[in-house]
Amino acid sequence: RILSERDVTSKSEISRLTEISAPTVIKIINFFQEKGLVEDLGEGEAVLGRKPQMLRIRKNRYYAVGVIFEGDYLKLGITNLRNEIVCLKKTRVREPFEKIMSSTLYHRINELLVESNILLSNVLGIGIGLPGIYDANNQTIIMAPLIGIEEKTDISSMIQSLEERYHLPVLVDNDLNMEVQGEFISKHLTERDDLNYLSIGTGIGSGVMLNGKLRRGIRYMCGEVGYMSFQPDYETAVSKMGWLEGQVNINALCKQYHLDSLSDLDETTRQEAIQHVSDCVAMCINNMIMCYDCGYFSVGGEMFHLLGEELFDAISQKVKKLSVLEPNLYRAVGGEPGVIGGAGVVLTAEMNRMLEE
């Protein structure tokens, strides 16, 4: 972590920061160098005494692929060991989920590798975020109305097929679980920190990190704020999206304003849409702030690209009026937190496995 967070450091500085003895630090750094993870930059400057040997992580030694499926959009990116996105591709998809997993995703990943000139042998794995309630232990989508899955669906064979094609581990989770972890990484938070992340786009959902750990919930429903309702006579059903999601998702707004795309909004209608979305989202955020009382609350998603940053300003002003707490409300730090999170989950798992040696 120290090597990843610093452009340049030294063995003596690592020993001082970690309180690990100098001989042990030397042994560890030698192991890193054998794995091609660290490069020696030669002697640095010193006011007194022996000049330190300066080190730098080889951030482009290994990569991971992060994929976020947002219903109508497929985002793919490749990140390096410093969680920097080195290549990004975003496409609109209108295909059945099974075809996306079995064919489209395979072709898009190949295109990304070719365009970025990255060798598959330097890729550690693939992390995929899906828009639905997902049981990661059993590789089962419990339900995902946005992509047409209304009952439990085992996707283990799809995951296995991807693993066999690439000879790489493939980790799958809920898209917002990936996004909150990506935002957590981008904000350089620690195991002492909490974070709520809310995304507004094809749907609306959130991810929750408490004391540096992802909260899933016993039914994998933590953060499914799309099922919040501010209409007392509303009746929900598994076969349809929740009340809040039905109010503020992109397709609902297009239908409301009789448009093919929100990019076609005129200025008057855009302001009306901002008013409507900010009203609903501000209530949602206030409720989450009171439930979790987290130190950080970030918001992001495709809606901000379509309606503009005025949407964030409107949400912030309304949250301040609603909340008795002083909310630490931020725009998402990472441009694509889901891609960073999906790739970051893989990098963490594979680097831990490598370092167990």
Side-chain angles (χ1 to χ4, degrees), residues 15-192:
S15 182
R16 178 179 61 80
L17 291 169
T18 62
E19 299 183 354
I20 298 172
S21 70
T24 302
V25 168
I26 291 170
K27 183 178 180 182
I28 292 168
I29 293 300
N30 288 342
F31 172 79
F32 286 173
Q33 289 174 327
E34 288 173 11
K35 292 290 185 182
L37 293 170
V38 172
E39 59 181 326
D40 196 328
L41 301 177
E43 291 183 343
E45 297 298 321
V47 178
L48 295 171
R50 189 175 177 181
K51 292 183 178 181
Q53 290 294 121
M54 305 309 294
L55 306 166
R56 179 170 60 199
I57 192 168
R58 291 183 62 202
K59 63 180 183 179
N60 294 323
R61 173 65 181 90
Y62 291 112
Y63 303 89
V65 176
V67 179
I68 290 294
F69 182 29
E70 286 191 352
D72 287 347
Y73 294 93
L74 191 63
K75 298 179 183 179
L76 302 93
I78 298 176
T79 70
N80 61 22
L81 291 177
R82 295 191 72 172
N83 298 296
E84 299 167 338
I85 295 178
V86 297
C87 187
L88 183 69
K89 181 183 287 288
K90 176 181 167 183
T91 57
R92 195 157 192 181
V93 289
R94 293 294 179 91
E95 300 157 340
F97 173 72
E98 189 170 344
K99 184 180 179 184
I100 289 171
M101 288 293 287
S102 63
S103 174
T104 306
L105 189 55
Y106 177 67
H107 293 302
R108 294 289 184 271
I109 291 173
N110 288 350
E111 290 171 3
L112 202 65
L113 291 170
V114 171
E115 290 172 13
S116 59
N117 200 29
I118 290 173
L119 297 175
L120 185 60
S121 57
N122 290 337
V123 177
L124 293 180
I126 302 166
I128 303 172
L130 301 178
I133 301 165
Y134 183 71
D135 178 352
N137 293 326
N138 296 305
Q139 298 183 324
T140 299
I141 297 174
I142 296 173
M143 63 174 175
L146 277 178
I147 55 176
I149 297 177
E150 298 174 2
E151 56 186 30
K152 281 189 177 182
T153 303
D154 185 337
I155 64 167
S156 58
S157 60
M158 300 180 194
I159 296 171
Q160 184 180 351
S161 177
L162 272 173
E163 289 180 331
E164 290 173 351
R165 280 180 165 183
Y166 287 106
H167 302 287
L168 291 173
V170 175
L171 303 181
V172 178
D173 208 332
N174 167 269
D175 56 346
L176 268 301
N177 286 345
M178 291 299 197
E179 291 193 21
V180 71
Q181 290 177 92
E183 182 69 1
F184 198 87
I185 290 168
S186 297
K187 290 182 77 67
H188 304 290
L189 300 181
T190 71
E191 62 273 6
R192 297 184 298 274

Side-chain angles (χ1 to χ4, degrees), residues 109-356:
I109 291 173
N110 288 350
E111 290 171 3
L112 202 65
L113 291 170
V114 171
E115 290 172 13
S116 59
N117 200 29
I118 290 173
L119 297 175
L120 185 60
S121 57
N122 290 337
V123 177
L124 293 180
I126 302 166
I128 303 172
L130 301 178
I133 301 165
Y134 183 71
D135 178 352
N137 293 326
N138 296 305
Q139 298 183 324
T140 299
I141 297 174
I142 296 173
M143 63 174 175
L146 277 178
I147 55 176
I149 297 177
E150 298 174 2
E151 56 186 30
K152 281 189 177 182
T153 303
D154 185 337
I155 64 167
S156 58
S157 60
M158 300 180 194
I159 296 171
Q160 184 180 351
S161 177
L162 272 173
E163 289 180 331
E164 290 173 351
R165 280 180 165 183
Y166 287 106
H167 302 287
L168 291 173
V170 175
L171 303 181
V172 178
D173 208 332
N174 167 269
D175 56 346
L176 268 301
N177 286 345
M178 291 299 197
E179 291 193 21
V180 71
Q181 290 177 92
E183 182 69 1
F184 198 87
I185 290 168
S186 297
K187 290 182 77 67
H188 304 290
L189 300 181
T190 71
E191 62 273 6
R192 297 184 298 274
D193 293 312
D194 302 328
L195 172 68
N196 285 161
Y197 175 78
L198 181 75
S199 178
I200 320 163
T202 308
I204 182 171
S206 74
V208 180
M209 298 281 287
L210 302 175
N211 295 323
K213 294 183 179 179
L214 179 68
R215 170 65 182 173
R216 297 178 186 277
I218 59 172
R219 300 176 186 85
Y220 309 100
M221 289 284 284
C222 183
E224 292 292 338
V225 297
Y227 291 96
M228 280 188 180
S229 177
F230 305 122
Q231 179 181 325
D233 59 348
Y234 178 78
E235 293 185 15
T236 192
V238 175
S239 59
K240 63 180 181 179
M241 64 182 69
W243 182 87
L244 182 59
E245 193 157 69
Q247 293 294 308
V248 298
N249 78 76
I250 291 171
N251 292 332
L253 291 182
C254 287
K255 185 177 180 180
Q256 180 176 337
Y257 298 115
H258 310 290
L259 299 169
D260 293 327
S261 170
L262 287 187
S263 58
D264 299 330
L265 283 170
D266 59 47
E267 184 57 25
T268 301
T269 312
R270 188 176 74 88
Q271 292 298 328
E272 186 180 328
I274 288 172
Q275 178 76 19
H276 170 72
V277 173
S278 60
D279 282 345
C280 295
V281 172
M283 287 189 284
C284 170
I285 290 174
N286 179 59
N287 289 353
M288 292 185 70
I289 287 172
M290 298 313 299
C291 286
Y292 292 107
D293 191 15
C294 285
Y296 300 92
F297 200 117
S298 293
V299 294
E302 192 66 23
M303 192 70 77
F304 292 95
H305 298 300
L306 295 169
L307 297 184
E309 289 305 312
E310 286 178 70
L311 175 60
F312 178 73
D313 295 335
I315 291 170
S316 297
Q317 291 169 12
K318 290 173 183 178
V319 170
K320 285 179 182 177
K321 291 178 181 178
L322 288 170
S323 181
V324 296
L325 300 176
E326 186 65 32
N328 292 325
L329 193 63
Y330 303 90
R331 277 288 278 118
V333 175
E336 296 294 344
V339 169
I340 294 171
V345 167
V346 171
L347 284 174
T348 299
E350 290 305 296
M351 288 301 293
N352 285 345
R353 183 189 59 75
M354 182 186 298
L355 299 182
E356 284 177 356

